[in-house]
Amino acid sequence: MSVSLKFKQRILSLIKMIGGTKAKAACVYFHHTKHFPDLKNPQTWGEKLLWLNEHWQPEVKALCADKYLVREFIEQQGCADILIPLLGVWEDANDIDFEDLPDKFVLKCNHGCAMNILVPDKSQLDKKEAVRQLNEWLKVDLGKISGEHHYSRIKPMIIAEAFLPVEKATDILDYKIHCFNGIPQFIVICYDRDPVTHSPKRQIYSPQWERMRMLRVDDVNLHYPQPKRLKDMLKIAENLSKKFPYVRVDLYNINDQIFFGELTFTPDGAVPERAYTFEASKKIGQWLDLSEVIAN
């Protein structure tokens, strides 16, 4: 029997065994790790994220994944000063009055990922195309497509935020702080994003700013200096993550000013092994204690 045929038979048996969206995620997990996910006794990072995706769906999870409603949560945690100024909110892109918006801004949908339009110069914006694209995004149910169920419980809307204080969008460094049971364990710097796919290059650092080799693809020759307000970013991440077994806190640090990006509960579609090695996933899984959420 050929390897490809064996693989297809394993996938088919997995789908029959699990069924539904769990099968889709489990197939992705198997594709990247060559291991079947153990969802009854999860051990790896990916297995535990898949378990949380199926069994841990409190109201606050959808609220904090909502790029609009999360602002209220951030304020409640005493972090209003890191919010990017809000310029407008709409349920239909046709209602956007572009004349009221500044020369530079960002348009984004609140209910998914990669639904952003960066506008560094309003005079160059194709407004008709922007309206069309935004209204198409509003129709997308990411929860059904990806199996990340909390996204299906978000009411789709469009928000406009101020453009971050940089010359070019490519100058922005995205600090993604991965927090496990309220403890920041590592920081991923995302840089040099593809303008079409928005996929970034990544590097990983410890909270002490030591390089960590956990990615499948890692630029070993490049090193970013420690940001001056690293301790403040870690305190913010700890504060924002204390209610969750796992969450990724995305922050920007521009001219020593900290800005909030988003909260993410299912990085890489709840299968982080897409980007991380299987050995890293096993190590990271040890940081995530599910005993409390399982007990509840």
Side-chain angles (χ1 to χ4, degrees):
M1 184 182 294
S2 69
V3 174
S4 60
L5 183 55
K6 285 183 179 180
F7 179 79
K8 289 179 181 178
Q9 288 185 344
R10 286 183 178 183
I11 293 299
L12 287 173
S13 65
L14 185 62
I15 292 174
K16 290 179 181 179
M17 177 179 68
I18 301 176
T21 57
K22 286 192 289 186
K24 183 177 180 180
C27 290
V28 175
Y29 182 92
F30 180 84
H31 173 70
H32 290 286
T33 68
K34 301 302 181 287
H35 294 269
F36 290 105
D38 185 348
L39 301 183
K40 292 184 178 180
N41 183 32
Q43 298 297 317
T44 68
W45 185 20
E47 287 172 341
K48 290 184 177 182
L49 288 185
L50 290 173
W51 188 94
L52 287 168
N53 188 52
E54 292 299 325
H55 301 286
W56 183 73
Q57 291 293 336
E59 182 179 349
V60 68
K61 186 176 184 179
L63 182 147
C64 286
D66 184 322
K67 292 178 174 59
Y68 174 53
L69 294 183
V70 70
R71 300 175 66 90
E72 180 180 351
F73 175 83
I74 300 301
E75 291 177 354
Q76 290 171 350
Q77 307 311 308
C79 296
D81 59 313
I82 67 173
L83 289 170
I84 299 172
L86 183 68
L87 304 176
V89 185
W90 306 272
E91 296 183 19
D92 186 330
N94 289 295
D95 294 334
I96 299 173
D97 187 345
F98 288 96
E99 296 302 316
D100 284 346
L101 293 172
D103 292 334
K104 300 170 68 172
F105 55 91
V106 176
L107 293 168
K108 61 177 69 173
C109 290
N110 66 323
H111 65 299
C113 58
M115 298 181 185
N116 309 315
I117 298 176
L118 305 183
V119 186
D121 182 353
K122 185 170 66 173
S123 67
Q124 301 300 312
L125 176 66
D126 185 335
K127 300 179 180 63
K128 183 176 180 180
E129 173 58 21
V131 168
R132 185 203 65 78
Q133 180 63 83
L134 289 165
N135 280 336
E136 281 298 309
W137 283 335
L138 287 176
K139 300 174 186 176
V140 173
D141 185 339
L142 183 62
K144 286 186 177 180
I145 295 172
S146 67
E148 299 162 87
H149 307 304
H150 51 289
Y151 286 119
S152 292
R153 295 187 284 122
I154 297 174
K155 178 182 177 180
M157 302 183 76
I158 302 161
I159 64 174
E161 291 181 340
F163 204 90
L164 289 171
V166 294
E167 288 296 322
K168 299 179 295 183
T170 52
D171 294 335
I172 297 173
L173 294 182
D174 194 352
Y175 296 88
K176 299 181 180 296
I177 306 176
H178 293 257
C179 301
F180 301 80
N181 306 105
I183 301 174
Q185 294 285 7
F186 63 92
I187 306 153
V188 179
I189 291 185
C190 290
Y191 61 99
D192 196 16
R193 286 186 178 274
D194 185 285
V196 177
T197 67
H198 299 284
S199 297
K201 295 179 181 177
R202 314 187 211 190
Q203 289 185 12
I204 300 181
Y205 292 85
S206 72
Q208 295 75 38
W209 211 249
E210 300 165 337
R211 281 294 293 272
M212 302 176 74
R213 311 292 185 185
M214 298 193 293
L215 294 167
R216 291 177 178 270
V217 178
D218 193 348
D219 187 350
V220 298
N221 296 316
L222 185 62
H223 178 78
Y224 277 100
Q226 176 177 321
K228 291 181 180 179
R229 297 191 63 188
L230 176 61
K231 289 184 179 179
D232 292 330
M233 288 196 292
L234 291 171
K235 287 181 181 178
I236 290 169
E238 185 175 349
N239 180 27
L240 297 180
S241 67
K242 60 189 176 184
K243 296 180 180 291
F244 311 114
Y246 166 81
V247 69
R248 193 191 75 205
V249 180
D250 293 2
L251 302 173
Y252 305 105
N253 188 338
I254 300 171
N255 299 325
D256 298 331
Q257 184 175 358
I258 298 171
F259 296 94
F260 172 74
E262 63 181 66
L263 297 181
T264 299
F265 298 94
T266 47
D268 297 292
V271 185
E273 292 80 5
R274 299 173 195 258
Y276 295 76
T277 67
F278 187 60
E279 288 302 313
S281 178
K282 290 193 289 185
K283 177 182 178 180
I284 295 169
Q286 297 173 10
W287 296 333
L288 179 49
D289 182 3
L290 297 181
S291 58
E292 186 173 338
V293 291
I294 290 175
N296 294 330

